[in-house]
Amino acid sequence: LLLCAATTIFAGFWMLSGHNAAGIGAAVVAAGLVIAGLGIRRFSRKGKFEVWARILSGLGLRGDEWVLDLGCGRGAVLLAAAKLIPRGRAVGVDIWRADQTGNCMQATLANADVEGVADRVELHTRDMTDLEFPGESVDLVVSSLAIHNLPGNAARRAAIVEAVRVLKPGGRVVIADIGFTRRYAAWLRQSGMAGIDRRSLGWRA
């Protein structure tokens, strides 16, 4: 917000002082910042729910799967999955570092109760690079905008390896992230996964 305001001020100053090229350039940057900000706002409030609803509904879940969400936060993806598995289990792991969004286990449990899926949700304070779950124990691993936060490629790769380790034979991994996705795809292949598809999530994201 401050950067956008400052860029707008500079644009006006340069235009008024006859530096039209610089003013136009600053105005374009300011407009870009506004558009980016509106996009982020829309994604956080609505877009991520639309994207994940489409992804999860496209998986053809039976309803009895065990789903693991890496870095589940307040439960946007975890609870959407839980609604599709009335006879299954939705397991979320996170480090639960408090931030401006109120990220904590209690908030996620409260959200699960509001959404009517608390009976099939369980949460753990775990590092996604060392899940402590048995191998071949879950049907689906999901992660939304979380793995990129890990400190370095070694940790990110460890999270991918762990995701594959806990999958049952024929299980699936679905990751949405803002970076490193080429590496995720490569690490999934190296871990023995097949049928890997990497694509944009579209304008909603």
Side-chain angles (χ1 to χ4, degrees):
L1 185 60
L2 289 175
L3 182 58
C4 183
T7 307
T8 302
I9 290 169
F10 277 116
F13 173 77
W14 282 326
M15 293 288 280
L16 290 173
S17 62
H19 296 88
N20 292 336
I24 292 170
V28 169
V29 171
L33 290 171
V34 169
I35 292 168
L38 291 173
I40 291 169
R41 179 182 173 88
R42 186 192 185 282
F43 176 74
S44 65
R45 294 193 171 199
K46 189 174 181 181
K48 65 183 175 184
F49 298 100
E50 296 170 345
V51 165
W52 276 99
R54 185 182 74 233
I55 291 171
L56 292 170
S57 64
L59 294 175
L61 297 174
R62 300 180 309 271
D64 60 353
E65 289 88 351
W66 279 62
V67 179
L68 173 62
D69 186 353
L70 305 180
C72 66
R74 292 187 298 165
V77 177
L78 181 71
L79 306 184
K83 290 178 181 180
L84 298 175
I85 50 170
R87 302 178 308 283
R89 199 78 178 151
V91 182
V93 299
D94 209 310
I95 300 297
W96 311 110
R97 293 192 179 96
D99 60 19
Q100 71 272 16
T101 67
N103 181 40
C104 65
M105 184 182 288
Q106 291 73 24
T108 310
L109 290 171
N111 289 339
D113 190 51
V114 168
E115 295 294 332
V117 295
D119 61 325
R120 69 196 77 143
V121 168
E122 67 179 74
L123 303 175
H124 299 271
T125 301
R126 302 244 173 113
D127 186 328
M128 67 178 82
T129 67
D130 184 17
L131 293 171
E132 303 175 41
F133 295 127
E136 300 186 2
S137 58
V138 301
D139 300 284
L140 171 66
V141 176
V142 298
S143 185
S144 181
L145 306 179
I147 298 175
H148 75 272
N149 289 314
L150 292 172
N153 285 327
R156 295 181 194 108
R157 188 180 189 281
I160 298 296
V161 170
E162 273 290 271
V164 175
R165 181 187 68 79
V166 300
L167 276 182
K168 294 177 183 177
R172 292 175 284 183
V173 178
V174 182
I175 301 168
D177 217 335
I178 58 176
F180 309 104
T181 56
R182 287 186 190 279
R183 290 182 178 180
Y184 299 163
W187 294 333
L188 286 166
R189 288 189 191 94
Q190 291 166 11
S191 298
M193 297 294 285
I196 296 165
D197 180 23
R198 178 179 171 271
R199 62 180 182 267
S200 168
L201 294 177
W203 67 269
R204 292 179 177 83

